[in-house]
């Protein structure tokens, strides 16, 4: 899913040249609606679901939810794991079109391919919907994109999720009796992923409102456990005098990596408040009674997103219902005592 900045810039530059985006930007039209030009389908609907990191537990759940909903609705569904390959993204969209798919649902490995994906879907007259991560029709960076130029998305509200994480982190901070002076927040995320930025910014806002004065250290990562562990380990080393740590980030991977880094540095679980986002890694920490720095996590169920994405595409293709700009699946905050009763399965 994640590429180095130079590689990403090169991809983005190539797209700008290839697609002639200056024309697209000046049109004032939402290219995402080009995917909507696919007509209603009278017969059986065929969909392709393209996912980054399809072997990650969250996306495995998402695929399962999509397949279950497709079976319920009588849809032919093909799920493709893109891994971290941005180049494969466009070729698989082309393949879906060649195989007469009526619609494509996509989680891109790199948002820089967004404009090319949109143009490819438009040319092939297939409906296009994103899940989880946003893409822009007119440029490589969704954060710099006007709302009208974002492709319709199914997922979770980054702002709402981040707010819940920040509030829970503040509650854990107060429960521990810590002070701002001896505490730091490690906020870890891949900084060119828009939804990650939304989550982290909202977490900080909610936390600061409840617990003012705690310094936050932004830690750029690749959104993987090992990547976050390495970067947060370096952060801890550079801040050796800090007694207590709060860790949040874009996903469970970042927080788990941070909790592990702190444990390896000799920081005990009583001095760590990790609040995950996903809960699929956090729950593994909670399968024993051993104390953990992972104090809570927001349960985001990939199955709900996959099912909602397929339902939304079905409603468009079968009933002519317009895509919403965004549609959100529900979330639940869980911890060591509540994760099982919340319906979280821990693979």
């Amino acid at each position: 899913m994640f590429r180095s900045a130079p590689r990403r810039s090169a991809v983005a530059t190539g797209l700008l040249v290839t697609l002639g985006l200056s024309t697209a930007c000046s049109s004032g039209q939402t290219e995402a609606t080009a995917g909507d030009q696919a007509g209603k389908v009278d017969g059986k609907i065929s969909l392709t679901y393209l996912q980054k990191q399809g072997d990650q537990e969250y996306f495995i759940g998402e695929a399962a939810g999509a397949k279950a909903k497709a079976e319920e609705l009588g849809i032919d569904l093909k799920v493709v794991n893109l891994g971290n390959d941005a180049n494969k993204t466009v070729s698989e969209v082309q393949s879906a079109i060649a195989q007469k798919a009526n619609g494509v649902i996509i989680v891109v490995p790199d948002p820089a391919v967004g404009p090319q994906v949109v143009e490819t879907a438009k040319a092939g007259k297939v409906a296009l919907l994103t899940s989880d991560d946003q893409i822009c029709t007119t440029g490589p960076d969704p954060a710099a994109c006007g709302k009208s130029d974002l492709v319709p998305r199914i997922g979770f509200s980054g702002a709402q999720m981040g707010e819940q994480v920040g509030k829970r982190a503040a509650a854990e901070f107060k429960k521990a009796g810590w002070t701002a002076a001896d505490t730091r927040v490690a906020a870890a995320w891949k900084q060119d992923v828009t939804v990650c930025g939304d989550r982290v910014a909202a977490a900080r806002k909610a936390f600061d409102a409840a617990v003012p004065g705690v310094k936050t250290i932004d830690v750029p990562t690749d959104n993987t456990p090992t990547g976050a562990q390495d970067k947060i380990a370096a952060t801890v080393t550079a801040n050796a005098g800090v007694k207590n740590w709060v860790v949040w980030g874009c996903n469970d991977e970042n927080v788990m990596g941070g909790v592990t880094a702190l444990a390896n540095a000799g920081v005990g679980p009583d001095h760590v408040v990790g609040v995950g986002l996903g809960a699929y890694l956090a729950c593994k920490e909670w399968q024993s009674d051993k104390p953990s720095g992972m104090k809570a996590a927001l349960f985001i169920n990939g199955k709900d997103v996959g099912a909602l994405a397929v339902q939304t595409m079905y409603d468009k293709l079968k009933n002519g219902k317009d895509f919403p700009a965004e549609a959100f699946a529900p979330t639940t905050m869980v911890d060591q005592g509540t994760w099982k009763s919340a319906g979280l399965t821990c693979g």
Side-chain angles (χ1 to χ4, degrees):
M1 149 163 116
F2 310 108
R3 301 183 174 275
S4 65
R7 175 66 179 274
R8 187 179 184 279
S9 297
V11 172
T13 302
L15 291 177
L16 289 170
V17 173
T18 302
L19 300 177
L21 291 181
S22 60
T23 301
C25 289
S26 64
S27 70
Q29 299 299 314
T30 304
E31 292 297 328
T33 59
D36 296 350
Q37 71 183 354
K40 289 175 65 175
V41 178
D42 293 328
K44 194 165 191 176
I45 292 172
S46 175
L47 302 180
T48 298
Y49 208 130
L50 306 177
Q51 295 178 304
K52 69 181 182 185
Q53 294 183 305
D55 56 353
Q56 186 194 83
E57 191 161 345
Y58 169 82
F59 291 114
I60 291 172
E62 184 177 75
K67 290 174 182 177
K69 179 58 69 172
E71 183 176 0
E72 174 190 327
L73 297 174
I75 293 172
D76 283 333
L77 176 69
K78 179 181 180 181
V79 178
V80 178
N81 179 12
L82 300 173
N84 298 324
D85 192 343
N87 294 324
K88 186 177 180 181
T89 306
V90 176
S91 65
E92 287 294 346
V93 174
Q94 293 170 335
S95 178
I97 294 168
Q99 294 171 20
K100 307 300 182 184
N102 305 113
V104 172
I105 305 167
I106 188 167
V107 193
V108 293
D110 187 332
V113 302
Q116 193 172 359
V117 166
V118 171
E119 288 296 319
T120 303
K122 179 182 177 181
K125 294 182 171 57
V126 299
L128 178 66
L129 185 65
T130 65
S131 69
D132 303 293
D133 297 344
Q134 289 179 312
I135 59 174
C136 180
T137 68
T138 56
D141 183 5
C145 187
K147 288 187 178 180
S148 63
D149 291 326
L150 292 169
V151 175
R153 181 179 78 92
I154 305 299
F156 299 100
S157 166
Q160 291 177 9
M161 288 193 298
E163 181 180 11
Q164 291 181 70
V165 168
K167 286 182 175 179
R168 181 57 181 259
E172 294 290 340
F173 174 96
K174 292 177 180 179
K175 184 170 71 173
W178 296 350
T179 65
D182 60 11
T183 304
R184 295 291 183 272
V185 174
W189 79 105
K190 188 170 189 291
Q191 296 183 349
D192 62 354
V193 178
T194 310
V195 293
C196 290
D198 292 343
R199 297 170 188 178
V200 171
R204 177 180 297 180
K205 183 178 179 181
F207 184 84
D208 287 349
V211 185
V214 181
K215 182 180 178 181
T216 297
I217 302 171
D218 293 333
V219 184
T221 74
D222 62 359
N223 276 1
T224 68
T226 54
Q229 181 178 334
D230 291 344
K231 292 298 183 68
I232 292 179
T235 301
V236 173
T237 299
N239 294 270
V242 175
K243 181 180 179 182
N244 304 309
W245 288 89
V246 176
V247 185
W248 64 60
C250 180
N251 53 19
D252 254 27
E253 284 82 355
N254 280 289
V255 182
M256 194 69 257
V259 169
T260 302
L262 286 160
N264 290 345
V267 182
D270 290 344
H271 297 280
V272 179
V273 165
V275 181
L277 207 161
Y280 44 85
L281 295 182
C283 67
K284 295 179 181 180
E285 285 283 284
W286 301 331
Q287 288 179 322
S288 72
D289 294 330
K290 183 180 177 181
S292 171
M294 185 73 83
K295 297 300 191 291
L298 191 65
F299 176 28
I300 56 174
N301 193 342
K303 290 182 179 179
D304 291 339
V305 173
L308 182 57
V310 170
Q311 181 69 61
T312 302
M313 184 66 83
Y314 176 88
D315 290 342
K316 169 64 182 174
L317 294 174
K318 183 62 67 174
N319 304 318
K321 184 177 179 180
D322 290 339
F323 287 142
E326 290 187 296
F328 302 132
T331 60
T332 305
M333 187 63 71
V334 296
D335 55 31
Q336 192 163 16
T338 63
W339 68 272
K340 290 181 180 178
S341 62
L344 172 60
T345 57
C346 204

